[in-house]
Amino acid sequence: MSAIDDLARSLSRLPGIGPKTASRLAYHMVRRDGNLNIDLGERIAGIKDKIFPCSICGSYTETDPCPYCSDQTRDSSLLCIVEQPQDVVTIASSGVYNGLFHVLGGAINPLEGIGPDQLSFSSLRKRVEKGSFTEIIIATNPTDEGDTTALFIKSLFSDIPNLTISRLASGLPIGGDLEYADRLTLARSMRGRTSFK
Amino acid sequence: MSAIDDLARSLSRLPGIGPKTASRLAYHMVRRDGNLNIDLGERIAGIKDKIFPCSICGSYTETDPCPYCSDQTRDSSLLCIVEQPQDVVTIASSGVYNGLFHVLGGAINPLEGIGPDQLSFSSLRKRVEKGSFTEIIIATNPTDEGDTTALFIKSLFSDIPNLTISRLASGLPIGGDLEYADRLTLARSMRGRTSFK
């Protein structure tokens, strides 16, 4: 049964897929229509030939520049800074933002050896210097690393006049229950309370 | 970004992989070493060419008969009957069973249109008639469908003399807590209580 075990081992190298799930998936693949496996297998094997980072913003794309950077209808005075390429899709598909993006490639995390040099701050700085941005929106995650990165971005642009620097609001998730909110979220939503008109 | 979306859609056809997990996996594949993707992709695409059901017991194998059926050191007087091919591996690797196996291919489930004709009962009957089994161990799942299937197997062999028919014990899982046991498990462990020597 080593082909199944080999497949399960390869599957278990994916994030969030433990040995039991990997084994269950491998057996499922033996059972199902083989065309589905060929289709999935070819897509996985070829994904890195089709997708690369946009030379301007760093989001994943099949064309360079990416659809966001080359879209003339987007507001070129707004720049949203995110950690990962998938965050671009999340924010773009929310429908409440129509500006441009910049992907850092992660957050500052000294414990994992990720300092400012490993992230795309120099190209970010150049874009803002050359571009026509009036506001940059920091959309790093509401984590310790995201907070550190947000502070770093703020200091990076402290010398540029007339540039608004904002950050996504943190607080209670919509539909959530106060009873189940953790203390940190509650504290942040209290500090960041907004006037109720 | 359609190649990522296509990949995520293919991944989400796997059991237990929802749209969010599929998308996370697809982005991870773009980020990681491409050789891992080629390796995984080829294994998935080719798995059905390598693995097929054993002509004797029905478990998945790369050789016919399978390693269990062709292993002369296994006890050919014991036959363990399971629902799925992966159950064979689970029981064999537990180290407490050294007999042979028979895979039914599922359990009787009238709601899903699975009757006795869809399962491998006729080959099971022939194996027991021709073989030298003194005991068959029913290892169907402790579910309604597994219980129904167990009763069916019992009636299937009621005419064969000197054949012991047993079933895996159900009850409290080792390391579990009485407080968290559900009523059905508790009831079954009470009915199946064993003498404490």
Side-chain angles (χ1 to χ4, degrees):
Chain A
M1 243 97 26
S2 73
I4 292 186
D5 293 342
D6 290 346
L7 172 57
R9 224 181 336 266
S10 287
L11 285 166
S12 70
R13 300 188 70 158
L14 294 168
I17 309 282
K20 285 225 168 183
T21 303
S23 171
R24 194 166 45 85
L25 291 174
Y27 276 98
H28 176 80
M29 287 170 180
V30 178
R31 216 160 42 228
R32 71 174 182 168
D33 177 4
N35 288 325
L36 291 173
N37 293 335
I38 292 165
D39 180 70
L40 174 61
E42 287 174 353
R43 284 190 205 286
I44 291 174
I47 190 67
K48 285 190 69 126
D49 298 334
K50 291 199 188 117
I51 301 287
F52 50 87
C54 170
S55 61
I56 299 175
C57 75
S59 72
Y60 290 148
T61 178
E62 291 177 63
T63 56
D64 198 25
C66 75
Y68 300 111
C69 288
S70 52
D71 183 349
Q72 298 296 325
T73 69
R74 296 192 81 90
D75 185 345
S76 61
S77 71
L78 291 176
L79 183 66
C80 180
I81 303 168
V82 298
E83 293 182 15
Q84 302 291 353
Q86 57 265 46
D87 299 333
V88 170
V89 182
T90 305
I91 290 176
S93 62
S94 74
V96 294
Y97 179 72
N98 194 38
L100 299 177
F101 291 97
H102 191 86
V103 178
L104 295 174
I108 295 172
N109 190 341
L111 290 177
E112 294 196 2
I114 303 173
D117 291 347
Q118 275 80 53
L119 306 173
S120 64
F121 287 117
S122 65
S123 68
L124 171 62
R125 172 81 200 190
K126 277 183 207 132
R127 277 185 84 186
V128 173
E129 280 173 359
K130 288 185 189 166
S132 54
F133 300 113
T134 58
E135 179 174 358
I136 59 174
I137 301 166
I138 303 172
T140 54
N141 287 327
T143 58
D144 283 351
E145 293 77 24
D147 291 352
T148 305
T149 309
L151 286 172
F152 186 88
I153 296 169
K154 197 176 144 192
S155 69
L156 188 66
F157 295 113
S158 58
D159 60 329
I160 298 187
N162 301 321
L163 178 68
T164 305
I165 300 176
S166 60
R167 188 169 181 203
L168 289 192
S170 275
L172 301 171
I174 305 304
D177 191 317
L178 214 64
E179 192 180 342
Y180 299 115
D182 63 288
R183 276 177 40 153
L184 286 174
T185 300
L186 206 53
R188 215 187 257 211
S189 73
M190 184 62 78
R191 277 203 307 274
R193 65 191 180 275
T194 51
S195 121
F196 188 64
K197 291 162 201 155
Chain B
M1 244 96 24
S2 72
I4 292 187
D5 293 342
D6 290 346
L7 171 57
R9 224 182 335 266
S10 287
L11 285 166
S12 70
R13 301 187 70 157
L14 293 169
I17 309 282
K20 284 225 168 183
T21 303
S23 171
R24 194 166 48 83
L25 291 174
Y27 275 98
H28 176 80
M29 287 170 180
V30 178
R31 215 160 42 228
R32 71 174 184 169
D33 177 6
N35 288 325
L36 290 172
N37 292 334
I38 291 166
D39 180 70
L40 174 60
E42 286 174 355
R43 285 191 204 287
I44 291 174
I47 189 68
K48 286 192 67 127
D49 298 333
K50 292 200 187 115
I51 301 288
F52 50 88
C54 170
S55 62
I56 299 175
C57 75
S59 72
Y60 290 148
T61 179
E62 292 176 62
T63 56
D64 198 27
C66 75
Y68 300 111
C69 287
S70 53
D71 183 350
Q72 297 295 326
T73 69
R74 297 192 78 91
D75 185 345
S76 62
S77 71
L78 292 176
L79 184 66
C80 179
I81 303 167
V82 298
E83 294 183 15
Q84 301 292 352
Q86 57 266 47
D87 299 334
V88 170
V89 182
T90 305
I91 290 176
S93 62
S94 75
V96 295
Y97 179 72
N98 194 37
L100 300 176
F101 292 98
H102 191 87
V103 178
L104 295 174
I108 295 172
N109 189 342
L111 291 177
E112 295 196 3
I114 303 173
D117 292 348
Q118 273 81 51
L119 306 173
S120 64
F121 287 118
S122 64
S123 68
L124 171 62
R125 172 82 200 188
K126 276 183 206 131
R127 278 186 83 185
V128 174
E129 279 174 358
K130 288 182 187 166
S132 53
F133 300 113
T134 57
E135 179 175 358
I136 59 175
I137 301 167
I138 302 171
T140 54
N141 288 327
T143 58
D144 283 351
E145 293 77 22
D147 291 352
T148 306
T149 309
L151 286 171
F152 186 87
I153 296 169
K154 196 176 146 192
S155 71
L156 188 67
F157 294 113
S158 58
D159 60 329
I160 297 186
N162 301 322
L163 179 68
T164 305
I165 300 176
S166 61
R167 188 170 181 204
L168 290 192
S170 275
L172 302 170
I174 305 305
D177 191 318
L178 215 64
E179 192 179 342
Y180 299 115
D182 63 288
R183 278 176 41 151
L184 286 173
T185 300
L186 205 54
R188 216 187 255 210
S189 75
M190 186 60 80
R191 276 203 307 275
R193 63 192 180 276
T194 52
S195 121
F196 187 65
K197 291 163 203 155

